[in-house]
Amino acid sequence: FLQFVFHTYTTGFTLVNGNGTAKSEKYSVQQKQVFLGLGAVSYAACIGALPVFFMNRYILKSPLTQLVVRKLLHAPLLGLMSAFTVAVVRSPEFENGVEVMDRNGKVVGISKKAGEKAVRETALSRAALFGTAFFLPSVLMYFVERVNFAKTPRALASTRMMMITAVLAGMLPVSLSIFPQCGEIKRADLEPEILSSTEETEFFYNRGI
């Protein structure tokens, strides 16, 4: 349930802050993206909970299994599923293309390659944000437990929450600045029909968040 709530929030954020250029022939973009988002959220939540389910179902209680499943596997899996939900809910952007502008802000065409680049960069930044925000605190908590800094379960939970909050707050501006909001794409990477209508050498697009 918590996995579902988390991915629902991040997917909704992605839906609101994507590039609004793409047009669907059969459905409105938002309607199609909502359906895709619901499927992606359900899939991501199930995949995220699967390791813990198997560990509890088959009574895998060894220290190594506990370490891998509860502390090491969770973070990269969450980062991967976060990138997956971004790619799915914003798939109309690389299927139909996004607006490409010249240096003066004039729209010169709609490019699928620019849409693919925008979605890929956003997915990578989202994976870096949540993967790091949950992996680094797990590593730090290992040392906290070793030195017995927090002696009670409540103190351990509070310490872990503070570490996650601190790392998330630090990683948020980093993930947003990995790729520029106004992305640039080379002339050689654009479709021939766009190049035939302009002599510009620099082109830009809105990456979304």
Side-chain angles (χ1 to χ4, degrees):
F1 175 76
L2 294 177
Q3 290 271 349
F4 186 85
V5 171
F6 171 80
H7 288 295
T8 298
Y9 173 78
T10 57
T11 301
F13 180 87
T14 301
L15 179 62
V16 172
N17 293 281
N19 187 302
T21 303
K23 303 295 182 184
S24 175
E25 295 180 358
K26 296 180 64 177
Y27 309 103
S28 67
V29 171
Q30 287 194 352
Q31 182 184 12
K32 182 177 181 179
Q33 287 177 308
V34 167
F35 287 134
L36 290 173
L38 288 174
V41 166
S42 302
Y43 178 80
C46 291
I47 293 297
L50 204 57
V52 176
F53 170 78
F54 274 110
M55 186 181 69
N56 294 332
R57 175 68 176 79
Y58 296 103
I59 318 178
L60 304 175
K61 300 295 184 181
S62 69
L64 180 60
T65 303
Q66 293 279 340
L67 175 65
V68 171
V69 173
R70 293 194 180 278
K71 297 185 178 181
L72 298 182
L73 184 61
H74 177 65
L77 197 58
L78 190 64
L80 181 62
M81 288 298 100
S82 298
F84 168 76
T85 56
V86 170
V88 171
V89 78
R90 291 183 56 179
S91 59
E93 295 181 24
F94 57 77
E95 291 176 354
N96 303 304
V98 298
E99 289 181 347
V100 176
M101 301 161 286
D102 60 19
R103 68 181 69 185
N104 299 317
K106 178 184 176 182
V107 177
V108 296
I110 295 180
S111 170
K112 293 183 180 179
K113 293 183 179 179
E116 180 182 348
K117 190 169 185 287
V119 174
R120 181 174 65 250
E121 291 175 348
T122 305
L124 289 174
S125 66
R126 194 68 58 81
L129 170 63
F130 291 117
T132 305
F134 285 90
F135 178 75
L136 191 56
S138 296
V139 174
L140 295 176
M141 283 301 298
Y142 172 77
F143 293 102
V144 169
E145 293 172 358
R146 287 291 299 271
V147 299
N148 202 24
F149 176 76
K151 301 181 184 301
T152 65
R154 179 175 294 181
L156 282 171
S158 300
T159 303
R160 179 179 176 82
M161 185 58 63
M162 287 189 294
M163 286 184 177
I164 291 176
T165 303
V167 175
L168 189 59
M171 278 299 300
L172 184 59
V174 173
S175 67
L176 293 177
S177 61
I178 293 177
F179 302 103
Q181 179 65 36
C182 184
E184 182 177 355
I185 186 169
K186 298 178 181 178
R187 181 181 176 90
D189 295 333
L190 288 175
E191 291 85 345
E193 56 269 22
I194 296 179
L195 301 180
S196 62
S197 63
T198 179
E199 298 296 327
E200 293 286 343
T201 57
E202 295 180 345
F203 300 92
F204 304 91
Y205 59 90
N206 175 29
R207 178 174 67 84
I209 301 177

